[in-house]
C-alpha cells in the first residue's frame, strides 16, 4: 500500500507537516539526506506567531529559546526600537532559537508521532512521475509511492530543479553567520538588533545560555575580499556591537550560504506540492522565514484534512491562501530592500519610526505574521489544542 504523504526534507516545514498530518491519522514518510543535529545558516529569530504554533504543537519554547520583544535598528548613530503589537492569536514576544536545536526538536517530535516514519542520511534521487501525475519518490533509486508528494527541501530545492520549476532571480545576496557567548557581566539584549550598513545588514539575535547570533546579509557586489575579513570589518564599524563581540567567546565557525534566493514557476502539480523555502524564498531581510515555514505547513495540513480528494484544485486552493497570507510580508520586505538601496533615506525612515511607534509596531506585526498591512484582523489564526486530536 502506498503512503498517504511522502515528504522530501526534514527541516522546519517538512517536520511540522509530518507531525500535523500524523496527528490527523495519515501515514507519512519523510526522507532527509542529512543527520541530526545539523548546522544550518539561519537568522534564528522566531516571530510570535511561530512561537505560538510551536507551543500549540507541545514544544516548550521557553526552554528552547531566548525571549525578544521586538526589533531595534541602528544606522549612523541613530536608533529606532519597535515592539511587537498585542494580538489575540499570539503573544508579544519572539524567541531566539538555534536552528540546530529547533530542527532536532521537531525531528524528534515527528519520530515520536504515530503514523510518521523518518529516514535520515538517505538521498532522494528524483520525483516519480507516472501518467502525468506525481506518484512518489525515487529514494536511493528505489520507488516509494504516495498519494501526495511534498518537496520541503529548502531554498535551493533539488526537487524543484528536477521538475524544471526553477524561476530565475535577478538579485544575488549572500548570507553568513557566527555564534558568540557573552563575556562576563555583559547583559543579553531583549531585541533582535539590525545594524544597517551600505550594501549589507547585520542581525544580532539573543540565544539561550548567554549566546547570541551575528548574521550578515550582503549584496554579492559589496564583498571586497575574503568573506571572514569583510564580516569582521562590518561589525568592527558598529560601536554598539564591536565592544560586545570583542569581549565575547566565539562558539561556532563562520558559515556562508548563497544565493539567498529561490523562486518557483509553479508550486503545485498533480499529486505534488512545494512547501517552505522550496516554494519560493523571500529575502530574509525582515526575518520571517522560520515562522512562515510553520504557518504554511499548518495551512497545507488543514487543506488536506478538509479535502475529500487531494485533487489539483484542492492543492491550488491551498496555494492561493498561502499567497494571500504571504503577500503583505513580501510588500514590507520589498519596501525594506528598496530602502536599503537608498542609504540617504534610511535615517529619515528611522526618524519616522521613532516618532510613530504605533506605525513601527504595526509594520513589525505585518512582517511577523500577526497583522494585515491594510484593514483589520489577524493574518492567520493559531489552532486550538483540540485540532491536534484525531
Amino acid at each position: 500500500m502506498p503512503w498517504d504523504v511522502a515528504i522530501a526534507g526534514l527541516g522546519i516545514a517538512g517536520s511540522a507537516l509530518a507531525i500535523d498530518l500524523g496527528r490527523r491519522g495519515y501515514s507519512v514518510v519523510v526522507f532527509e539526506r542529512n543527520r541530526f543535529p545539523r548546522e544550518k545558516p539561519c537568522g534564528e529569530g522566531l516571530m510570535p506567531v511561530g512561537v505560538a504554533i510551536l507551543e500549540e504543537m507541545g514544544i516548550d519554547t521557553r526552554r528552547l529559546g531566548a525571549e525578544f520583544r521586538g526589533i531595534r535598528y541602528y544606522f549612523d548613530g541613530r536608533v529606532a526600537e519597535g515592539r511587537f503589537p498585542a494580538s489575540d492569536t499570539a503573544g508579544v514576544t519572539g524567541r531566539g532559537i538555534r536552528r540546530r536545536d529547533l530542527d532536532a526538536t521537531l525531528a524528534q517530535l515527528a519520530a515520536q508521532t504515530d503514523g510518521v516514519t523518518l529516514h535520515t542520511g538517505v538521498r532522494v534521487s528524483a520525483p516519480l512521475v507516472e501518467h502525468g501525475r506525481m506518484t512518489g519518490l525515487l529514494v536511493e533509486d528505489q520507488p516509494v509511492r504516495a498519494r501526495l508528494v511534498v518537496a520541503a527541501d529548502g531554498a535551493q530545492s533539488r526537487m524543484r530543479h528536477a521538475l524544471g520549476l526553477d524561476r530565475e532571480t535577478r538579485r544575488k545576496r549572500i548570507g553568513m553567520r557566527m555564534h558568540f557567548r557573552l563575556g562576563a557581566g555583559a547583559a543579553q539584549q531583549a531585541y533582535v538588533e539590525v545594524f544597517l550598513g551600505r550594501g549589507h545588514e547585520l542581525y544580532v539575535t539573543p540565544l539561550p545560555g548567554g549566546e547570541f547570533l551575528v548574521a550578515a546579509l550582503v549584496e554579492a557586489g559589496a564583498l571586497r575580499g575574503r568573506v571572514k575579513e569583510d564580516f569582521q570589518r562590518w561589525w568592527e564599524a558598529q560601536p554598539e556591537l564591536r565592544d560586545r563581540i570583542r569581549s565575547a567567546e566565539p562558539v561556532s565557525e563562520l558559515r556562508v550560504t548563497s544565493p539567498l534566493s529561490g523562486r518557483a514557476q509553479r508550486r503545485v502539480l498533480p499529486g505534488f506540492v512545494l512547501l517552505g523555502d522550496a516554494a519560493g524564498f523571500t529575502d530574509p531581510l525582515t526575518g520571517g522565514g522560520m515562522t512562515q515555514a510553520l504557518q504554511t505547513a499548518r495551512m497545507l495540513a488543514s487543506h488536506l484534512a478538509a479535502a475529500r480528494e487531494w485533487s489539483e484544485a484542492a492543492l491550488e486552493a491551498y496555494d492561493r491562501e498561502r499567497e494571500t497570507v504571504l503577500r503583505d510580508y513580501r510588500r514590507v520586505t520589498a519596501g525594506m530592500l528598496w530602502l536599503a538601496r537608498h542609504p540617504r533615506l534610511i535615517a529619515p525612515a528611522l526618524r519616522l519610526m521613532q516618532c510613530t511607534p504605533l506605525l513601527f509596531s504595526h509594520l513589525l506585526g505585518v512582517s511577523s505574521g500577526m497583522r494585515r498591512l491594510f484593514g483589520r484582523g489577524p493574518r492567520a489564526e493559531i489552532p486550538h489544542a483540540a485540532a491536534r486530536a484525531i
Side-chain angles (χ1 to χ4, degrees):
M1 292 290 292
W3 298 86
D4 288 321
V5 180
I7 302 174
L10 192 57
I12 295 173
S15 295
L17 179 65
I19 293 164
D20 201 334
L21 290 177
R23 288 173 171 176
R24 294 174 188 267
Y26 297 104
S27 62
V28 184
V29 61
V30 190
F31 300 99
E32 168 60 51
R33 62 177 177 168
N34 296 302
R35 296 186 184 276
F36 295 88
R38 64 173 182 179
E39 292 284 359
K40 183 176 181 179
C42 181
E44 300 186 334
L46 187 68
M47 300 303 172
V49 169
V51 172
I53 293 174
L54 287 186
E55 292 286 347
E56 185 63 29
M57 294 170 67
I59 295 173
D60 183 2
T61 62
R62 291 172 297 180
R63 177 191 59 82
L64 199 60
E67 182 179 276
F68 59 88
R69 297 191 290 268
I71 312 294
R72 184 183 289 150
Y73 287 93
Y74 298 82
F75 180 76
D76 280 355
R78 183 172 293 278
V79 182
E81 181 178 291
R83 294 195 175 199
F84 296 118
S87 169
D88 293 334
T89 58
V92 294
T93 58
R95 296 280 179 187
I97 304 175
R98 284 288 296 264
R99 181 61 187 269
R100 174 195 65 192
D101 299 335
L102 180 56
D103 281 353
T105 298
L106 285 168
Q108 182 180 23
L109 184 57
Q112 296 169 348
T113 302
D114 290 343
V116 177
T117 300
L118 306 184
H119 297 280
T120 59
V122 297
R123 180 176 59 90
V124 175
S125 309
L128 184 62
V129 183
E130 298 172 315
H131 309 296
R133 181 181 178 84
M134 197 78 61
T135 58
L137 296 168
L138 287 175
V139 182
E140 303 288 356
D141 298 320
Q142 297 299 313
V144 177
R145 287 180 168 79
R147 293 172 57 200
L148 179 69
V149 174
V150 177
D153 53 343
Q156 308 308 316
S157 170
R158 293 187 177 188
M159 291 284 287
R160 187 183 66 218
H161 180 73
L163 291 167
L165 297 177
D166 282 332
R167 186 176 176 184
E168 186 178 357
T169 55
R170 292 171 293 178
R171 197 167 194 207
K172 294 183 179 180
R173 299 253 282 170
I174 296 171
M176 58 195 77
R177 68 98 177 105
M178 192 169 176
H179 297 93
F180 298 86
R181 183 174 293 115
L182 289 167
Q188 185 70 283
Q189 300 296 309
Y191 288 81
V192 169
E193 298 170 292
V194 183
F195 296 85
L196 302 171
R198 287 168 172 80
H200 68 273
E201 307 93 44
L202 295 174
Y203 300 81
V204 182
T205 305
L207 296 169
E211 295 184 358
F212 61 99
L213 167 81
V214 180
L217 296 177
V218 57
E219 303 288 346
L223 292 171
R224 295 182 182 177
R226 297 179 62 183
V227 170
K228 191 169 185 178
E229 293 172 353
D230 282 334
F231 185 64
Q232 181 171 349
R233 175 170 55 84
W234 295 330
W235 61 255
E236 287 275 5
Q238 302 290 343
E240 299 88 350
L241 183 57
R242 180 184 59 227
D243 294 340
R244 199 184 318 169
I245 293 180
R246 283 180 176 176
S247 64
E249 174 192 3
V251 292
S252 73
E253 297 293 326
L254 180 67
R255 282 180 173 254
V256 180
T257 182
S258 176
L260 282 177
S261 61
R263 303 172 67 190
Q265 297 180 30
R266 295 187 63 184
R267 293 168 296 274
V268 301
L269 295 171
F272 177 77
V273 178
L274 287 167
L275 182 66
D277 286 344
F281 185 61
T282 303
D283 192 282
L285 178 66
T286 45
M290 296 198 301
T291 295
Q292 290 171 18
L294 292 167
Q295 283 182 289
T296 53
R298 185 191 61 193
M299 190 186 304
L300 177 56
S302 297
H303 274 265
L304 295 177
R308 293 185 178 180
E309 296 182 1
W310 294 349
S311 64
E312 188 174 4
L315 300 181
E316 291 283 2
Y318 150 75
D319 192 54
R320 286 192 297 272
E321 183 180 352
R322 173 190 178 275
E323 288 299 288
T324 298
V325 167
L326 297 184
R327 185 179 300 126
D328 286 347
Y329 171 82
R330 290 176 180 149
R331 287 170 174 166
V332 172
T333 300
M336 290 291 294
L337 288 170
W338 180 87
L339 192 63
R341 292 194 294 269
H342 299 81
R344 289 180 298 177
L345 300 178
I346 294 177
L350 292 187
R351 190 180 305 116
L352 174 63
M353 294 298 99
Q354 282 182 304
C355 296
T356 56
L358 289 179
L359 174 61
F360 196 175
S361 180
H362 173 69
L363 292 176
L364 287 182
V366 174
S367 65
S368 61
M370 302 168 71
R371 289 187 174 185
R372 300 180 188 277
L373 185 57
F374 304 107
R376 297 182 178 181
R379 285 175 53 186
E381 294 184 359
I382 307 303
H384 296 294
R388 298 203 310 265
I390 297 173

